[in-house]
Amino acid sequence: MVNTTLSFQHFLHNTSLTHHFSGTYVIDFYYFVYFLLIVTLEFQMQFMLLFSRQGKLRLQKWYVAHPDKLKKKITRELITTVLARKPKMCSFLEWKDVKVVYKRYASLYFCCAMEQEDNELLTLELIHRYVELLDKYFGSVCELDIIFNFEKAYFILDELVLGGELQETSKKNVLKAIAAQDLLQEEETPQGFFEDHGLG
């Protein structure tokens, strides 16, 4: 994570971004706003889980390396913890050595774990952005869409988050990438392939 204080001091003394005028430093406003955005948006997600009200895991994405046995244990314990919480309770909780942010949409829970110093509201916004993208792609997404088109759900997430960090804030750009991938997939699939194999 960025040390905000040190980075800000370095920013102030960077002569390429400041101008000395009458004994004072005048900071270029646009560079200043850009710097604040970079500091604010930087965060590190540990993993994301999607699960149903019945505790069925529908999607999981890990951005840190764990043995499979530990992943299953973390998943089981976290799902149990979240489902045990009452509807009016806060969507943020400290769990072991991470902070957990979750949000329920219809029958699905979207749950993210992040580092202690990361911004909970930013993570909540990222979850909402992901749900909006799923809605736009599937048209009012439901649990069955995730079950039968899980590869699309993963692809959308990969366009939004890379290595646990937010890589794309524009929904339009993400949807364009998904449309291009769908077009490529259609072009690579021979016409009548599914009908010939009795899958059409």
Side-chain angles (χ1 to χ4, degrees):
M1 294 298 296
V2 173
N3 186 320
T4 307
T5 303
L6 292 178
S7 299
F8 185 65
Q9 290 174 349
H10 175 74
F11 174 80
L12 287 177
H13 291 88
N14 188 335
T15 55
S16 65
L17 301 181
T18 57
H19 308 281
H20 189 267
F21 179 74
S22 300
T24 61
Y25 283 101
V26 180
I27 302 173
D28 187 314
F29 176 76
Y30 296 104
Y31 281 111
F32 179 67
V33 171
Y34 176 76
F35 171 81
L36 290 181
L37 284 173
I38 293 299
V39 172
T40 303
L41 290 176
E42 186 159 343
F43 74 106
Q44 179 67 48
M45 187 189 301
Q46 301 288 314
F47 58 85
M48 175 183 279
L49 304 176
L50 269 67
F51 52 90
S52 67
R53 289 178 297 177
Q54 292 76 32
K56 299 289 186 180
L57 185 64
R58 299 307 184 193
L59 181 147
Q60 58 177 327
K61 187 72 175 182
W62 297 82
Y63 299 103
V64 290
H66 290 305
D68 288 341
K69 186 176 181 180
L70 181 57
K71 286 182 181 179
K72 291 178 181 179
K73 181 181 179 182
I74 291 173
T75 301
R76 182 174 62 253
E77 292 180 359
L78 189 54
I79 289 176
T80 302
T81 300
V82 172
L83 291 178
R85 292 172 66 84
K86 296 180 180 179
K88 292 186 178 181
M89 295 180 73
C90 180
S91 294
F92 312 147
L93 68 143
E94 292 189 2
W95 187 76
K96 296 188 176 181
D97 59 340
V98 297
K99 282 195 295 189
V100 173
V101 177
Y102 68 92
K103 181 73 174 175
R104 178 181 168 183
Y105 291 88
S107 63
L108 281 175
Y109 284 86
F110 292 72
C111 181
C112 292
M114 57 185 181
E115 296 178 354
Q116 289 288 347
E117 63 270 21
D118 287 339
N119 191 314
E120 301 94 332
L121 294 177
L122 178 61
T123 306
L124 195 61
E125 175 61 27
L126 186 147
I127 291 174
H128 187 66
R129 180 61 56 92
Y130 182 44
V131 173
E132 286 181 327
L133 287 166
L134 291 172
D135 261 340
K136 284 185 176 293
Y137 183 79
F138 291 109
S140 187
V141 65
C142 66
E143 188 175 347
L144 289 176
D145 292 322
I146 304 297
I147 294 173
F148 293 110
N149 301 279
F150 63 89
E151 75 284 354
K152 297 297 182 185
Y154 277 114
F155 182 74
I156 294 172
L157 182 60
D158 289 341
E159 286 295 318
L160 188 64
V161 180
L162 181 65
E165 297 182 357
L166 183 65
Q167 72 158 344
E168 181 57 74
T169 58
S170 170
K171 289 186 289 185
K172 184 182 293 185
N173 289 344
V174 173
L175 292 172
K176 282 182 179 179
I178 298 166
Q181 179 69 17
D182 286 345
L183 182 61
L184 181 63
Q185 187 175 0
E186 290 176 4
E187 291 176 350
E188 291 179 348
T189 304
Q191 189 174 7
F193 174 83
F194 294 108
E195 289 80 359
D196 293 342
H197 290 78
L199 301 175

